[in-house]
């Protein structure tokens, strides 16, 4: 987030006047946040952040007790009346507070109309109806606010990715300072297995860096120093991946020294924060429509009721009769069924989704999910397993597969390279129980591979670059290139002077991915594209195996955002499915952001509108089918509730219907819309296919 605080820290840390300005800025930011919280209608109190929900439940309990006592006549009427008044207080507390705040700002909402309707019902002696009105309305609001508050944690979660301090070399010594105090050209020390605090280029040390938190790459990237230590890389737009590091990524086992090329406020993490923040401020079309409806509907009803109160001046009737008719119209016009029609359907849909392993954060994503025309998928951890696996073991020159694996495992189990674990685990699974030879003199060759000795023989395991001075046969080169075209990471194994085999690894597709894509196609999703930080060859190889229509590789987070925006323009309604921090901005810009649950980062989960819990991709077709059903029921409920209001208002104005039938019609319509909404609880996915599952390992 771009603040004066950051800029002042960059200029000087020692200037006391500027530090005092920082404190003032902090206070201003706090006031701004408080103002935004007020506008979001979130309510806290004596019970903490859940006070509104607890107040609503107390209202419901008092209402139920009052109705039970009056219905069975086991207590005096004043007891039931007292309970109804208690229900009014707890059910109307936050509704009244919000209505007053809105009026002071010069606006009207349905909250105000509901409050006036409840007061009108009380004046006419219909305490139970008024209490029920407030209970249903307050409960819907409380649950909506609870769900929305979760989504606002995305900014905090994003910011926490980068460490708060950095170890910088200044005046020949190391100093620990806040990352906001870093300036361009500072040299920072990155300890092994620690988070990198700033965007920069490596100037000393060699090792691998896990960039998955930012780029989504499934395999850590080897880093080495830049060739020109004096060059100003802050102005370079195309820095090679092996030289560049990003704030929030995780260093491997080697210590690095990095020259800062971007201030904290301009780092990759800061850009992600800005993207998500901007997206969250945008109101959905449904919300805009509701705001507009409230702006006109509430004043219209209030004016109509006021005019009807003075009808006795025109019509020959007593004031009491005019007032009664006005109150009857007010109750008839109070959108009780309208207010509960959408929340009841949403709550039922959300509850059914949760039972099916899907977390949906409110009504907008529940409705929008059913209108999708296209879906963009992150690759790593979403369509694939998220970690490399040993996919091919190819013996050469008469060596057996067992002998090749024994040598490879012996060496790699002593290596700290990120791919070593995959070779060891995959190899041991194939060998079952075997005694391994001992490797010695193990030495990593950064960016190329590893060398060691096994049983007195020199062993080299690495990529083609490691053997560029050797005479590798054309046949072996072709085998390696074919594997790499198929998206595999391949390594040659050399024993003394002979090549004894080829090993390949790959982040393999989830076994359920192909079936899920088939189901989505059957549901009418026109376009399914894959977005990844991995190279284009890998992207196309995975896409070919699972049936993705388009694959886009070599993408940074901002590139994913652009891809989603382009898809949104062409297809209108698009979802983004991902599991990493780098997916958060794209999720925020999409119509619906969908996060993979167990494998998903906290940021992706908080930013997303929908989370597939249990990391089950197959829950996606179920969620879309449920959303379509929910959207249909919400439309039905709106027609029912608006229809009742449209019929009751003229009938009460003409005196055909009194307040009793008006309340009965309201309660009847409320029961109908709630009953209709509850049908969602019994929803079953009818579009599920029974396609055979893919093999657990994929080989080209």
């Amino acid at each position: 987030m771009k603040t004066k605080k950051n800029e002042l820290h960059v200029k000087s840390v020692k200037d006391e006047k500027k530090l005092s300005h920082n404190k003032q800025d902090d206070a201003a930011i706090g006031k701004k946040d408080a103002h935004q919280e007020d506008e979001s209608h979130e309510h806290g109190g004596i019970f903490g952040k859940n006070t509104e929900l607890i107040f609503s439940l107390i209202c419901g309990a008092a209402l139920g007790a009052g109705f039970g006592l009056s219905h069975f006549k086991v207590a005096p009427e004043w007891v039931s009346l007292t309970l109804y008044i208690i229900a009014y207080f707890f059910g109307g507390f936050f509704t009244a507070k919000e209505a007053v705040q809105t009026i002071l700002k010069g606006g009207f909402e349905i909250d105000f109309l509901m409050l006036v309707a409840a007061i009108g019902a009380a004046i006419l002696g219909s305490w139970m109806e008024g209490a029920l009105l407030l209970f249903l309305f307050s409960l819907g609001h409380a649950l909506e606010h609870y769900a929305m508050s979760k989504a606002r944690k995305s900014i905090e979660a994003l910011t926490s990715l980068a460490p708060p301090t950095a170890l910088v070399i200044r005046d020949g010594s190391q100093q620990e300072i806040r990352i906001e105090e870093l300036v361009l050209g500072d040299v920072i020390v990155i300890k092994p297995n620690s988070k990198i605090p700033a965007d920069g280029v490596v100037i000393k040390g060699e090792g691998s860096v896990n960039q998955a938190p930012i780029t989504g790459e499934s395999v850590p990237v080897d880093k080495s120093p830049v060739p020109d230590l004096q060059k100003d890389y802050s102005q370079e737009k195309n820095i090679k991946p092996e030289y560049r590091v990003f704030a929030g990524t995780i260093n491997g086992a080697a210590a690095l020294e990095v020259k800062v090329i971007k201030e904290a406020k301009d780092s990759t993490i800061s850009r992600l924060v800005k993207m998500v923040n901007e997206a969250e401020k945008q109101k959905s079309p449904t919300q805009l429509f509701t705001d507009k409806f409230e702006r006109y509907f509430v004043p219209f009803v209030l004016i109509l009721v006021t005019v009807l109160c003075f009808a006795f001046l025109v019509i020959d009737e007593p004031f009491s009769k005019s007032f009664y008719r006005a109150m009857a119209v007010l109750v008839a016009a109070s959108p009780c069924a309208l207010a509960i029609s959408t929340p009841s359907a949403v709550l039922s849909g959300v509850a059914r989704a949760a039972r099916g392993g899907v977390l949906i954060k409110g009504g907008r994503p529940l409705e929008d999910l059913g209108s999708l025309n296209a879906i963009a998928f992150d690759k790593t951890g979403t369509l694939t397993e998220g970690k490399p696996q040993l996919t091919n073991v190819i013996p050469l020159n008469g060596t057996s597969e067992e002998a090749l694996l024994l040598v490879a495992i012996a060496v790699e189990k002593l290596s700290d390279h990120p791919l070593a674990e995959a070779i060891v685990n995959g190899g041991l699974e194939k060998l079952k129980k075997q005694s391994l030879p001992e490797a010695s003199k193990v030495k990593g060759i950064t960016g190329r591979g590893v060398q060691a000795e096994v049983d007195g023989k020199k062993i080299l395991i690495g990529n083609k670059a490691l053997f560029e001075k050797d005479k590798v046969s054309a046949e072996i080169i072709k085998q390696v290139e074919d594997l790499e075209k198929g998206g595999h990471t391949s390594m040659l194994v050399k024993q003394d002077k002979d090549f004894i085999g080829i090993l390949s690894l790959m982040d393999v597709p989830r076994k359920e991915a192909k079936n899920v894509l088939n189901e989505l196609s059957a549901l009418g999703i026109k376009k399914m594209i894959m977005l990844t930080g991995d190279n284009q060859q890998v992207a196309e190889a995975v896409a070919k195996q699972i049936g993705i229509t388009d694959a886009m590789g070599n993408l940074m987070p901002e590139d994913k955002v652009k891809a989603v925006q382009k898809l949104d323009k062409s297809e209108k309604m698009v979802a983004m499915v991902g599991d990493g921090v780098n997916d958060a901005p794209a999720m925020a810009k999409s119509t619906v952001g969908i996060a993979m649950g167990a494998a998903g980062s906290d940021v992706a989960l908080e930013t997303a509108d929908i989370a597939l819990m249990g990391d089950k991709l197959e829950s996606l077709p179920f969620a879309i089918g449920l959303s379509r059903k929910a959207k249909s029921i919400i439309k039905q409920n709106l027609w029912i509730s608006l229809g009742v209001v449209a019929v009751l208002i003229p009938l009460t104005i003409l005196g055909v219907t009194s307040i009793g039938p008006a309340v009965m019609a309201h309660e009847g319509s409320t029961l109908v819309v709630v009953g209709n909404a509850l049908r969602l609880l019994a929803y079953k996915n009818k579009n599920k296919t029974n396609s055979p599952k893919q093999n657990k390992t994929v080989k080209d």
Side-chain angles (χ1 to χ4, degrees), residues 604-638:
L605 286 171
E606 296 294 349
T607 306
D609 304 297
I610 296 170
L612 306 184
M613 299 184 294
D615 199 24
K616 294 183 178 179
L617 187 63
E618 57 265 38
S619 300
L620 185 55
F622 158 76
I624 292 175
L626 175 64
S627 170
R628 291 184 177 179
K629 186 67 175 178
K631 189 176 179 183
S632 173
I633 286 178
I634 287 171
K635 283 184 178 179
Q636 293 168 13
N637 283 354
L638 287 175

Side-chain angles (χ1 to χ4, degrees), residues 203-399:
I203 61 170
K204 187 176 181 181
E206 294 184 341
S208 61
V209 172
N210 179 3
Q211 296 189 162
I214 300 300
T215 67
E217 290 169 278
S218 55
V219 177
V221 180
D222 289 322
K223 303 294 179 182
S224 57
V226 291
D228 186 355
L229 299 180
Q230 304 304 318
K231 186 176 180 180
D232 181 10
Y233 286 91
S234 63
Q235 304 301 318
E236 287 285 318
K237 291 186 178 180
N238 297 311
I239 302 173
K240 290 184 177 181
E242 60 262 35
Y243 304 143
R244 185 172 188 171
V245 295
F246 303 101
T249 55
I250 304 164
N251 188 25
L256 302 176
E257 287 187 12
V258 171
K259 182 182 283 188
V260 176
I261 62 171
K262 285 190 179 179
E263 296 176 357
K265 61 187 176 67
D266 298 320
S267 70
T268 306
I269 290 290
S270 296
R271 293 204 309 274
L272 299 189
V273 171
K274 185 179 179 182
M275 289 177 192
V276 176
N277 196 27
E278 286 177 351
E280 288 188 346
K281 289 179 181 177
Q282 298 170 6
K283 289 187 175 182
S284 68
T286 304
Q287 190 177 355
L288 292 172
F289 171 78
T290 304
D291 291 346
K292 190 174 182 180
F293 177 79
E294 291 176 3
R295 200 177 303 128
Y296 293 104
F297 183 70
V298 176
F300 167 76
V301 172
L302 292 175
I303 292 170
L304 177 62
V305 169
T306 303
V307 170
L308 289 173
C309 278
F310 295 96
F312 71 95
L313 297 175
V314 180
I315 304 172
D316 185 17
E317 64 181 18
F319 171 73
S320 59
K321 188 173 182 180
S322 294
F323 181 75
Y324 184 88
R325 184 191 299 112
M327 290 301 99
V329 170
L330 185 60
V331 173
S334 64
C336 180
L338 179 63
I340 201 65
S341 61
T342 301
S344 60
V346 168
L347 291 174
S348 298
V350 169
R352 176 64 188 96
R355 272 199 351 244
V358 180
L359 173 64
I360 300 178
K361 297 180 180 178
R364 185 193 61 79
L366 181 66
E367 290 184 54
D368 289 345
L369 190 62
S371 304
L372 295 178
N373 298 316
I375 301 178
F377 293 90
D378 171 53
K379 180 187 79 70
T380 306
T382 301
L383 292 174
T384 64
E385 296 290 348
K387 54 185 179 181
Q389 295 182 17
L390 184 63
T391 49
N392 286 283
V393 179
I394 305 172
L396 300 173
N397 295 322
T399 306

Side-chain angles (χ1 to χ4, degrees), residues 137-152:
F137 192 69
S138 64
L139 181 63
H141 258 210
L143 293 173
E144 179 188 356
H145 295 158
Y146 177 79
M148 288 181 64
S149 67
K150 293 290 185 181
R152 293 198 179 93

Side-chain angles (χ1 to χ4, degrees), residues 8 83 130 171 250 292 301 374 382 384 433 440 459 463 484 517 562 564-565 575 605 620 631 650:
L8 291 170
L83 288 168
D171 301 324
I250 304 164
K292 190 174 182 180
V301 172
T382 301
T384 64
K433 290 184 179 180
S440 60
I459 304 296
N463 55 28
E484 290 176 350
L517 295 178
K562 290 175 184 176
V564 168
Q565 288 176 323
L605 286 171
L620 185 55
K631 189 176 179 183

Side-chain angles (χ1 to χ4, degrees), residues 282-537:
Q282 298 170 6
K283 289 187 175 182
S284 68
T286 304
Q287 190 177 355
L288 292 172
F289 171 78
T290 304
D291 291 346
K292 190 174 182 180
F293 177 79
E294 291 176 3
R295 200 177 303 128
Y296 293 104
F297 183 70
V298 176
F300 167 76
V301 172
L302 292 175
I303 292 170
L304 177 62
V305 169
T306 303
V307 170
L308 289 173
C309 278
F310 295 96
F312 71 95
L313 297 175
V314 180
I315 304 172
D316 185 17
E317 64 181 18
F319 171 73
S320 59
K321 188 173 182 180
S322 294
F323 181 75
Y324 184 88
R325 184 191 299 112
M327 290 301 99
V329 170
L330 185 60
V331 173
S334 64
C336 180
L338 179 63
I340 201 65
S341 61
T342 301
S344 60
V346 168
L347 291 174
S348 298
V350 169
R352 176 64 188 96
R355 272 199 351 244
V358 180
L359 173 64
I360 300 178
K361 297 180 180 178
R364 185 193 61 79
L366 181 66
E367 290 184 54
D368 289 345
L369 190 62
S371 304
L372 295 178
N373 298 316
I375 301 178
F377 293 90
D378 171 53
K379 180 187 79 70
T380 306
T382 301
L383 292 174
T384 64
E385 296 290 348
K387 54 185 179 181
Q389 295 182 17
L390 184 63
T391 49
N392 286 283
V393 179
I394 305 172
L396 300 173
N397 295 322
T399 306
S400 67
E401 180 178 297
E402 180 181 320
L404 172 60
L405 285 173
L406 286 172
V407 168
I409 295 170
V411 173
E412 296 292 359
K413 79 172 183 177
L414 299 178
S415 170
D416 61 358
H417 194 279
L419 296 178
E421 185 180 356
I423 293 173
V424 173
N425 291 341
L428 289 175
E429 188 177 329
K430 287 177 178 291
L431 289 176
K432 304 302 179 186
K433 290 184 179 180
Q434 289 268 16
S435 57
L436 298 173
E438 291 294 326
S440 60
K441 300 180 181 178
V442 177
K443 179 184 176 183
I445 305 170
T446 303
R448 298 187 178 190
V450 63
Q451 72 176 39
E453 282 190 12
V454 177
D455 294 334
K457 296 179 180 179
K458 184 180 179 182
I459 304 296
L460 286 171
I461 304 176
N463 55 28
K464 287 185 295 183
L466 180 61
F467 304 102
E468 58 188 2
K469 294 180 180 179
D470 293 79
K471 292 182 180 180
V472 186
S473 70
E475 183 183 351
I476 293 176
I477 291 294
K478 186 178 185 306
Q479 284 180 288
V480 170
E481 289 177 347
D482 287 344
L483 286 168
E484 290 176 350
K485 285 178 183 177
H488 297 261
T489 298
S490 59
M491 285 175 283
L492 288 164
V493 182
K494 186 179 181 183
Q495 183 175 270
D496 285 338
K497 296 181 180 181
D498 298 320
F499 287 97
I500 61 171
I502 304 172
L503 304 175
S504 76
L505 299 100
M506 185 180 183
D507 181 15
V508 298
R510 288 171 177 261
K511 57 181 178 293
E512 72 272 17
K514 190 170 185 177
N515 290 349
V516 168
L517 295 178
N518 287 337
E519 287 185 45
L520 293 174
S521 180
L523 282 167
I525 304 299
K526 299 175 183 177
K527 205 165 188 178
M528 292 175 281
I529 70 171
M530 182 171 69
L531 311 176
T532 179
D534 279 344
N535 67 61
Q536 188 65 29
Q537 271 191 340

